Amino acid sequence: MFKLIRLELRKSKFTFLKGVLIADLAILTAMILLIFTGMDDGEFDTYGEIFQGVFIFVKATYIVFASVLLSKLVIDEYKNNTITVLFTYPVPRKMLMAAKLIIVFLFTFFGILLSDVAISSLLAGSLYVFPNVIQETLTRELITTHLLSAGTDALYAAGIGLIPLYFGMRRKSVTATIVSAVLIVSLISSGNSFGGFRMGDLFGISITLALAGAAIAYLSIRKIEHQDIS
């Protein structure tokens, strides 16, 4: 499986690193502007609110990234009928499809986790230089809690990132794949403020959507041997 993943990465010319860096810099800049412009309104009074704001941006960005990656690795292959060539290889179809979906899942999980930690760390370091912005003290307990929460939420988000595969495969449409991801992000991330209620904050909603993504991935792999690829 590892060799298949490596070959798939080489074949697809995985060039998301530049986009990831640009997205992370944009999120960092947006958060800095929001923190300093929202000082008078008290929107970011605690590190918890700042970390939550970072995660909302990061999760939304990488779920959309996941849909783009699904489009590149799966949907485009079906749309252009190049998947027929791929399935002539002496490797079970299930393993080929599984390799593609594992790439998407791991990219989303590690992308969210690492970006969240990196951006949060940079913001915390910046706020240390400006102690009057946040009155709260950044403790080891707060950092540990955030890391555990970020890891768990990244896992859920990686599962959610597979849901657009269902919509894309129905019509072999890249547009449907990406639009469905944007709609999912809007559904789970919308709220009145960074400290307010969001549907994505509910454990039941997050785990249900993550399991739905896992089920879609499983069904895509299970049916691939007998699926009409024309």
Side-chain angles (χ1 to χ4, degrees), residues 42-46 48-50 52-53 56 191-198 201:
E43 187 166 359
F44 292 99
D45 290 332
T46 66
E49 290 179 351
I50 292 173
Q52 184 189 37
I56 290 170
N192 295 327
S193 63
F194 283 102
F197 168 78
R198 284 176 180 78
D201 294 335

Side-chain angles (χ1 to χ4, degrees), residues 26-81:
I27 293 171
L28 177 62
T29 303
M31 284 300 303
I32 291 175
L33 292 174
L34 287 172
I35 290 170
F36 283 95
T37 57
M39 288 176 58
D40 296 334
D41 299 331
E43 187 166 359
F44 292 99
D45 290 332
T46 66
Y47 281 102
E49 290 179 351
I50 292 173
F51 292 156
Q52 184 189 37
V54 171
F55 187 78
I56 290 170
F57 279 126
V58 170
K59 179 172 66 173
T61 300
Y62 278 89
I63 288 177
V64 175
F65 264 138
S67 70
V68 175
L69 193 52
L70 283 170
S71 299
K72 183 178 179 63
L73 296 180
V74 181
I75 308 302
D76 271 346
E77 295 267 21
Y78 277 90
K79 185 178 179 179
N80 300 326
N81 211 31

Side-chain angles (χ1 to χ4, degrees), residues 78-166:
Y78 277 90
K79 185 178 179 179
N80 300 326
N81 211 31
T82 54
I83 198 76
T84 56
V85 177
L86 187 64
F87 285 161
T88 61
Y89 295 170
V91 179
R93 292 183 180 184
K94 289 182 179 181
M95 291 185 65
L96 291 169
M97 181 62 76
K100 292 173 179 290
L101 297 184
I102 287 172
I103 289 172
V104 177
F105 182 87
L106 292 179
F107 168 80
T108 310
F109 173 74
F110 285 109
I112 290 175
L113 182 60
L114 295 177
S115 294
D116 181 74
V117 171
I119 295 171
S120 296
S121 298
L122 288 171
L123 284 174
S126 300
L127 292 172
Y128 182 79
V129 180
F130 300 96
N132 294 328
V133 177
I134 302 294
Q135 303 300 324
E136 182 185 26
T137 302
L138 185 61
T139 63
R140 181 178 299 179
E141 182 181 359
L142 183 60
I143 294 172
T144 302
T145 301
H146 172 64
L147 289 175
L148 292 174
S149 176
T152 304
D153 289 341
L155 186 63
Y156 296 152
I160 294 171
L162 296 173
I163 293 178
L165 177 65
Y166 170 79

